[in-house]
Each structure stands twice: as structure tokens, then as C-alpha cells.
Amino acid sequence: MAPKKQHALEARILQDQLADLKAGLSVSMPISTMLSALILTVQALSGGGFAAAIWFLVVNAINAARLGLARYPLKETGHQDDLTGISQRLRWFGILALLAGFAWSFLAVLTAGYTTPQAPLHLIILAGISAGAVTYGSSYAAAAINFITPPLLITAACLLAKGNFEAYVLTFAVLLFLGGLVRALFVGQARFREASRLTHEAERLAAEMERNSREDHLTALLNRRGLQHAINQLENTDGPFVAMLIDLDGFKSVNDTYGHRTGDELLVMIARRIEQEAPAGSTLARIGGDEFVLFFPSLRSSLSPSSLASNIIAKVASPYPKVASVRIGASIGIYLAERPGLTEMLLRADVALYTAKRRGRNEFCLFDAELDTELQRRQSIERDLHSAIEARTLAPWFQSIVRLDTEAVIGFEALLRWSHPIHGSISPPEIMTAARETGMLQLLTQTVFSDCCALIDGLVKADRRDVRVAMNVSPRELEAGDIDDMVLDGLAAKDLPTTMFEIEITEESPVDPDRVDEKLGRLSHAGISIALDDFGTGFSTLASLKDSRIRKVKIDQGFIRGLAKSREDRLLVKTVIDLGRALGIDVMAEGVETEADRQILYKLGCRTAQGFLFSEAVPLSQALEVALKEHATEL
């Protein structure tokens, strides 16, 4: 153990010894007074009252001094672990115990060397008070030894002076008694000190663990738990308070390019830079991989939150020599609160942060009334999501996919529809985000798949095996869940053909591409069609076309709407169609809304499409009616 810690531990042990000694005096001193009063009474009855009275007054004067010393507080030194004052106080207790011991030795004088008829009673009282000194003073052996040694040694000397065998035996017994008491005192003191040491070691370790549990070990800042504790300490502090949620831009590239060790070093540098800009008395914490929170009462900052945020962004965005090829930035969400509350502040600061990120890099946003309305809308949607799924007010509707030449229905795509009683129509991306945040994404996916199976079953019974039903799945959803098992097991259980089912996968970057590829391969091998949705808006569009499992691409509606009026869009769409034809991949267009766009697409070589020009999304029963009606017309 370090010398400083050892010194502190010794001080605490001595404090415990002193406290226990004081507690023992509050019991032993009244007993001493009563026993001395008993001796005074016996001596008075036997004719030796004057000397006994003097002895009684001396004994109790010393007892009063010992009690007074116990009540007198230690002088404040400003150092919690000061050994000098504690050691001096213990020495004074030892001195007074020695004086008390000499006072009780005077019993030998009162009993003429323990030869009077009252001597046996005095010896019994002396033995009892000596044993009591061991009982109530074992935490600090020196004081008790100082008290019992003089009277017991003098008693032994008086007995020895009698010069007979019985006296020799009693002398030996007294010395043996003294030796046993001294040994018991040293053993008791050692045990007390060891127990005290273990207690303080446990307290120190617990305090250290508590500190560690509140600290981010990389940056030496507080972690989320430490931030919560710091905010709790400000419950009675006047507001308003400022919470800044700081998220780094471009940090992932540092880990990917330079490795995690360099990334960790950079995080420490960024933490120090933010600290340099932080107002005096503020609290800075790291609550995520590259997320920081700066919290402070607004009155402690001479700058406005906006000015401070701008300074922090500029400081963080300054170049870092070790990662010259990567530009690091910061986005900041700011929330002003009247009362400190971590959950509420982070929630609102996160909404502001998300808005700042939508504006681009190195931006900040202050949570305002407009964002508060947006947050309440989001919370309302998340709160009502589960009941909407159960009540089937949120369900997949189906939009037909048609041939451009004949407008014959060749398929359906499942699209989420939810008319919220307060907020009206909720968009599918908003529904998916709410499901992801509330942990109901799996339930929602199962609901959509179940309705897709119901439509396929109806198509099979109507002898429309030429129609395919598609369901949207994101790569991250495919990666995290067991969608492949759900699809294959679900189709097999209902004895439905896999060739009538299609998965439309959006082009977003998964965390584990190998896992996604494995699942797509399993589905494709089973006969399920894999289509690439929103083609042209993803991260690796052209690279995706090399995947032999992709049998269809859907050109995003952003390129289709107004196609007849945009030469650039026509060139892009034509290129995609020609590329698909060369690779043997079907190309279809989504979002077709005008006859002019339909004709242009057909001239460019596109053969299938979907959009409001042909049909809006309709409930399952109506979709089945459309397919049946068309089939009846053909017959």
C-alpha cells in the first residue's frame, strides 16, 4: 500500500481506538464510582472513613478528568488523517489511567497490606475492576495496562511480604491474573485493530469502486452514472440549466483508418479540448462511444449557449496531426431546463442533436417549441403503436405492380398504413422508427408477413400463381433478427410456394455484411425472389448489381416523377435499364403518377412499374378482389 494510503489507514484505526475507548469510559467510570463508594462505606463502618474519603475523592477526581477528556473534542487541524492529535489524546488517556491505577493501589494502605478483615472484599473488588478495565479498554491496551499494573503488582508485593505458603500461592495467582489480563489486552487490541483495518479497507475499496463506476476510464470524465449523480446534487440549485449533447462527426473513419488505439487517443484529446471551452463549475461526461454531455447552470457561463456551442464546434474541428487525413467535427443538441433531470434533458437534447445532424456537419440546434411539438408527436406515436397493431388499425395494404404495356397485375407490394386518431396518416419510415425504438419491430414484421401469406394463400386458391407478393426488409433488420427462419418456416407451415414471395431489401449499410449475405443466400436458394428497392439512393448501388442473388431492381421514385420533363433523369433511367438488361436483372419503376412518365418509361425499355397512375395501396381483401377480377376478365 502507498505510504499516503497507509498513513490515512493508520489514522482511521487510531480514531476507532479512541472512539471505542471513550465509549468504554461511559460505562466503566460509573461502575468505578459505585465500587469506590462501596469501599468507602465498608471503611467508614470499620473506623477508617477519613482516609477512605480522601481516597474516594482522588479516585473520582481522576475519573471525572478521564470523562472530561473523553468529552473534549479534538482540535481541528484541517487534516482528516492527522495522527498527531489522535496519538496525543490516547497518550493522555494512558497517563490518566496510570494515575487511576496508582490511586487504586492505595487500597493496600487502607487494608494495612491486605491484612485487615476487609481485605478479601477489597481484593475481590480490585480483581473485578481490573477485569472490567480489560473488557472496556481492550481496543487500546496501553491505557488498561497502565490502570491494572500498579495495584496488582503492589497487591502481589503485599502478599509476598506475609512470608507464608498461602501468601505465596496468592501472589502467584495475582501475577498469573495480571499476566493473563495483559495478554488478553494485547490480543484484544490486535483483533480490534485488524477488524478496524478490514472495515476501512472495505470502505476504501467500496468508495473506490463507487468512484470507478461513475468514471469513464479512457477520458477520466464522468460516465452516465456519474453524470446522473452529479445532477442529483444540484436539485436545490436555481436554474435554468443547460444540457449540451455533443456527438462527433467522422469519428468512425478514425477507427477504420488508424485503428482503435489512435481513436482512443483522439477521444482523450477531444475531451481535453471540450474541457478548455467548458464554463467554470460545469460537468462534462462521456456517455457513449463518441458522445459527450456538457451540463451547467446557465448563470455560470458568460457566453450564450449558442456562442458556447460554436466555440466547442470550432475547437473540436481544429486539425489533429495524428489523423490528418480525417476531418473530425461535432454536432450539438442544446436543451435549457428549469429543473435538472438527466432523462428529460438528454431526450430533448437528442431531438435537437438529430435536427442539427440533418443540417450537416458542425451544426448545433437549440430545442424549441417546434421541436417540442415534434417530440410529443413521436412519443404519442410510440405510445399508441402496440395497440394500433393489435387493433389492426396499423396494417399492411397492398399496391399492385403492373406491366406497362397491358397494365396487367403481376404482383403486389405490402406497404404500411396507419391513420392515427390525432396525427392522421403516419408514414412507413416513421412507423418503422417508432417500432425500432419501442422494441416492436419484430411484432410489426410478423404482422406484415402474416398478411402477405394470407394474400398468397388467396391467390393460390384463385389459381393466380403468376402473381408475386413483396415485403420490404432492411439489411439491419435482416441482420439482427431471424427473418429468414420466419419466412421459410411460415411459408412451409402454410404450404405456400416460395416463388410467389419476394423480399425487397433497401440499400443501407449493415453492421455485419457477412451475416446478411448468408441469410439472403439462404432465402434465394429456397426460391424467394430478392429485389433491390430504392435503387439509386443507397451506399453501394453498382456494387450491389454484381450480387447474383439480386433478380430485380426498383428505380427510386425520385428519378421517375417528372421523368418526361427531365433529360438528365431520362439518361440515368435509360442507363439503369440497359445495365439491368445486360446483367439479366429485371428493372421496374416505382412512383409512376402520370401517363407521360409511363410512356417515356416504356420507350426507354422498362416493362413493369407501380404507382398512383395504376393503383393506390388497398387493404388485403380489395387487393385479392383486384387479382380475381382481372383473372375472371382474362377467362
Side-chain angles (χ1 to χ4, degrees):
M1 185 183 294
K4 188 175 181 180
K5 288 185 178 180
Q6 183 64 49
H7 181 87
L9 178 61
E10 179 62 24
R12 284 165 173 74
I13 292 174
L14 290 178
Q15 286 174 342
D16 287 347
Q17 288 182 276
L18 181 59
D20 188 77
L21 189 61
K22 290 179 178 180
L25 287 175
S26 65
V27 177
S28 61
M29 292 301 94
I31 293 175
S32 175
T33 299
M34 287 187 291
L35 292 176
S36 62
L38 179 61
I39 290 174
L40 173 61
T41 302
V42 171
Q43 288 298 115
L45 293 174
S46 62
F50 180 76
I54 298 298
W55 171 83
F56 176 82
L57 291 175
V58 171
V59 166
N60 285 281
I62 296 173
N63 287 348
R66 294 169 78 182
L67 285 172
L69 185 64
R71 293 176 179 274
Y72 188 74
L74 278 172
K75 184 178 180 181
E76 293 289 340
T77 64
H79 298 283
Q80 184 181 4
D81 302 329
D82 181 35
L83 288 171
T84 304
I86 305 172
S87 299
Q88 287 179 347
R89 181 60 58 91
L90 287 171
R91 280 196 293 271
W92 272 109
F93 274 115
I95 292 170
L96 289 176
L98 184 63
L99 291 176
F102 281 124
W104 278 89
S105 300
F106 196 71
L107 286 180
V109 176
L110 294 178
T111 58
Y114 293 104
T115 58
T116 64
Q118 296 79 23
L121 175 63
H122 289 38
L123 286 174
I124 291 172
I125 292 175
L126 181 61
I129 204 168
S130 297
V134 174
T135 301
Y136 295 107
S138 62
S139 59
Y140 182 60
I145 291 172
N146 287 353
F147 175 76
I148 65 174
T149 301
L152 290 179
L153 285 179
I154 289 176
T155 299
C158 290
L159 293 173
L160 190 63
K162 290 184 179 181
N164 56 53
F165 179 75
E166 184 179 346
Y168 292 155
V169 172
L170 286 175
T171 301
F172 178 74
V174 170
L175 293 176
L176 190 63
F177 180 56
L178 174 62
L181 293 181
V182 169
R183 181 182 181 280
L185 283 166
F186 280 121
V187 171
Q189 176 178 274
R191 289 177 176 172
F192 183 89
R193 285 179 59 85
E194 179 63 12
S196 176
R197 183 189 70 79
L198 291 174
T199 298
H200 289 297
E201 278 290 304
E203 290 174 350
R204 183 184 66 81
L205 288 174
E208 189 173 323
M209 290 175 66
E210 177 65 18
R211 285 193 301 272
N212 289 340
S213 71
R214 298 176 184 172
E215 184 178 289
D216 173 52
H217 300 299
L218 176 62
T219 61
L221 300 176
L222 296 177
N223 57 19
R224 189 184 184 103
R225 187 168 185 267
L227 178 62
Q228 177 70 73
H229 182 266
I231 289 176
N232 289 343
Q233 306 308 306
L234 296 173
E235 286 184 351
N236 297 321
T237 305
D238 292 333
F241 300 88
V242 178
M244 290 188 173
L245 184 57
I246 306 166
D247 185 75
L248 302 183
D249 299 323
F251 181 76
K252 183 178 182 298
S253 298
V254 175
N255 286 333
D256 293 342
T257 305
Y258 295 94
H260 287 275
R261 182 174 181 179
T262 300
D264 288 347
E265 292 174 358
L266 182 61
L267 282 173
V268 174
M269 294 174 62
I270 291 172
R272 301 292 84 82
R273 288 188 180 187
I274 298 175
E275 280 182 324
Q276 291 170 10
E277 297 297 325
S282 61
T283 300
L284 181 61
R286 177 176 173 237
I287 62 169
D290 59 354
E291 276 193 333
F292 298 84
V293 173
L294 180 62
F295 173 80
F296 57 93
S298 62
L299 296 178
R300 293 187 182 177
S301 176
S302 58
L303 297 174
S304 68
S306 297
S307 298
L308 180 59
S310 296
N311 291 350
I312 291 174
I313 289 173
K315 195 80 171 183
V316 172
S318 299
Y320 300 86
K322 281 192 174 183
V323 292
S325 65
V326 179
R327 301 298 295 176
I328 302 298
S331 298
I332 301 179
I334 309 170
Y335 176 61
L336 273 65
E338 288 301 321
R339 303 302 310 161
L342 181 61
T343 301
E344 177 191 1
M345 291 190 301
L346 287 186
L347 175 63
R348 285 159 175 75
D350 186 62
V351 173
L353 174 65
Y354 180 73
T355 303
K357 281 189 168 294
R358 283 188 298 189
R359 297 172 181 172
R361 291 166 63 100
N362 295 329
E363 295 282 349
F364 68 86
C365 177
L366 183 67
F367 187 88
D368 55 17
E370 183 178 346
L371 290 182
D372 188 48
T373 301
E374 182 182 323
L375 175 61
Q376 291 181 22
R377 170 188 167 88
R378 190 179 79 183
Q379 291 176 328
S380 174
I381 290 171
E382 291 177 355
R383 184 174 57 249
D384 299 336
L385 182 64
H386 187 269
S387 59
I389 295 174
E390 287 191 335
R392 302 291 294 174
T393 55
L394 191 169
W397 285 21
F398 296 88
Q399 185 176 40
S400 59
I401 300 170
V402 304
R403 291 178 56 89
L404 282 175
D405 53 354
T406 64
E407 295 191 14
V409 176
I410 61 171
F412 291 96
E413 179 186 1
L415 300 173
L416 288 172
R417 293 292 183 265
W418 181 18
S419 181
H420 193 277
I422 298 174
H423 306 294
S425 179
I426 310 298
S427 68
E430 202 170 2
I431 294 172
M432 296 299 291
T433 299
R436 193 175 289 112
E437 290 295 324
T438 55
M440 282 186 277
L441 187 57
Q442 184 178 5
L443 174 62
L444 185 59
T445 302
Q446 289 173 344
T447 300
V448 174
F449 176 68
S450 177
D451 279 16
C452 287
C453 288
L455 180 55
I456 293 174
D457 185 55
L459 292 169
V460 169
K461 291 176 180 177
D463 197 23
R464 288 301 310 267
R465 293 174 178 263
D466 57 316
V467 177
R468 188 178 288 160
V469 178
M471 181 177 89
N472 288 282
V473 176
S474 74
R476 293 192 181 182
E477 187 182 356
L478 187 64
E479 174 190 25
D482 296 321
I483 292 180
D484 51 337
D485 289 332
M486 179 192 72
V487 169
L488 296 177
D489 294 346
L491 292 173
K494 295 177 174 61
D495 194 24
L496 299 176
T498 57
T499 53
M500 292 183 66
F501 188 69
E502 182 172 270
I503 285 182
E504 294 185 3
I505 188 162
T506 54
E507 285 195 297
E508 62 175 296
S509 179
V511 177
D512 187 353
D514 292 337
R515 180 174 170 82
V516 173
D517 287 344
E518 178 186 349
K519 294 188 173 187
L520 284 178
R522 186 179 176 213
L523 292 167
S524 178
H525 182 72
I528 292 171
S529 175
I530 308 295
L532 198 59
D533 197 13
D534 300 332
F535 188 79
T537 62
F539 294 95
S540 55
T541 304
L542 292 177
S544 301
L545 296 181
K546 295 168 57 179
D547 191 334
S548 60
R549 293 165 301 195
I550 303 298
R551 303 315 311 152
K552 178 196 288 186
V553 294
K554 297 178 67 176
I555 304 176
D556 184 71
Q557 58 188 352
F559 298 99
I560 304 302
R561 289 173 180 169
L563 184 65
K565 300 177 182 179
S566 173
R567 180 175 177 274
E568 291 79 7
D569 284 349
R570 287 198 299 273
L571 288 174
L572 287 172
V573 170
K574 174 64 174 174
T575 300
V576 173
I577 292 171
D578 291 344
L579 187 59
R581 185 182 294 115
L583 296 174
I585 298 174
D586 293 334
V587 177
M588 68 166 286
E590 57 183 358
V592 181
E593 297 182 357
T594 67
E595 178 62 25
D597 290 339
R598 184 194 72 80
Q599 292 179 7
I600 291 291
L601 279 170
Y602 189 73
K603 289 178 181 178
L604 293 177
C606 182
R607 294 295 175 257
T608 57
Q610 68 183 105
F612 291 158
L613 178 64
F614 313 110
S615 171
E616 295 184 358
V618 295
L620 189 156
S621 58
Q622 292 184 31
L624 189 57
E625 286 178 7
V626 169
L628 295 179
K629 185 177 180 180
E630 182 178 274
H631 185 54
T633 302
E634 292 174 356
L635 294 177

